Amino acid sequence: MYPIFFDLENVSVLAQGKVTCSGMVSAFCDTLEQAGCFAGLYISRSPLETNITERVAKRYVLWIAEYRDKCTYTGSYGMWQYTNTGSVSGVSGNVDCNYAYVDYPSIIKRGGFNGFAAAVSAKLSKGTKVTLQDAVLYASADADSGTKLSGTYYLYDGQVVRGRMRITNRAENVGKTPIGTYVTGWVNRSDLLR
């Protein structure tokens, strides 16, 4: 069980530029997230650095292809494809070889992504108490950056918007209005389930 990745490597698509490429990735990943899937971007390091906005690179999990002794991308990524000429016993011809640095199967299963939603949907309902560890707190569902946050919080309304959920710092604030007074901020749904 791994994220469903948008594969961006076609030269004619990359030639459309940063705004178009980033928009395609966001549209694909947002649509999958709305359907309950865990989505990400597969791309080579150089096109990632030149054809994807920082917001998109930080927003979705990354699987980076760079055929070297080490991955030189300086941002965060969960998988690295280090060769396309590897070999595996029992397979004839070249094989792509990768390292996964994140336990995606556990995150996906615990988070109820990719068909496991029924198992955990109750866990992420309005008022659920969550413990965060170095999660990013955003000002909105669309914010590009935020601040690190740890501690105990509560889901404000249990709604998922662009892969994020609103939290509040006190149980008695759950669902109260006006929202701006009682919502602490937004966190990525995947951060709630680690």
Side-chain angles (χ1 to χ4, degrees):
M1 288 177 280
Y2 283 86
I4 300 170
F5 288 95
F6 184 87
D7 184 344
L8 184 56
E9 55 187 312
N10 184 286
V11 176
S12 64
V13 175
L14 290 168
Q16 294 180 41
K18 185 178 279 194
V19 172
T20 299
C21 289
S22 296
M24 287 189 294
V25 172
S26 291
F28 177 88
C29 292
D30 288 351
T31 300
L32 285 176
E33 286 179 351
Q34 292 300 319
C37 297
F38 195 105
L41 170 62
Y42 168 85
I43 190 169
S44 293
R45 182 200 45 83
S46 181
L48 170 62
E49 293 173 342
T50 58
N51 292 77
I52 299 297
T53 63
E54 185 177 347
R55 176 195 178 280
V56 170
K58 287 182 176 179
R59 170 67 180 83
Y60 306 103
V61 297
L62 297 176
W63 176 11
I64 299 175
E66 183 175 22
Y67 305 148
R68 304 174 70 132
D69 292 339
K70 66 177 187 172
C71 183
T72 60
Y73 180 65
T74 57
S76 179
Y77 57 96
M79 294 176 63
W80 169 40
Q81 184 173 97
Y82 61 91
T83 187
N84 64 351
T85 59
S87 62
V88 174
S89 179
V91 176
S92 59
N94 293 330
V95 176
D96 294 343
C97 295
N98 305 276
Y99 291 117
Y101 302 104
V102 174
D103 184 2
Y104 288 120
S106 292
I107 291 170
I108 289 169
K109 193 168 186 177
R110 253 191 343 263
F113 301 107
N114 300 0
F116 288 95
V120 297
S121 60
K123 281 186 173 181
L124 295 179
S125 60
K126 178 180 177 178
T128 300
K129 183 178 179 179
V130 294
T131 302
L132 301 173
Q133 181 64 42
D134 290 328
V136 178
L137 178 71
Y138 299 93
S140 71
D142 295 328
D144 294 338
S145 61
T147 58
K148 291 284 184 168
L149 178 74
S150 296
T152 301
Y153 294 86
Y154 302 85
L155 294 182
Y156 176 77
D157 59 7
Q159 299 299 310
V160 180
V161 178
R162 293 186 170 251
R164 293 182 183 161
M165 299 182 84
R166 286 183 279 222
I167 59 168
T168 185
N169 59 353
R170 299 173 61 149
E172 58 267 22
N173 293 346
V174 171
K176 280 189 170 180
T177 55
I179 291 172
T181 302
Y182 297 104
V183 170
T184 304
W186 295 75
V187 293
N188 288 327
R189 182 173 182 253
S190 56
D191 287 339
L192 296 170
L193 300 154
R194 289 185 182 172

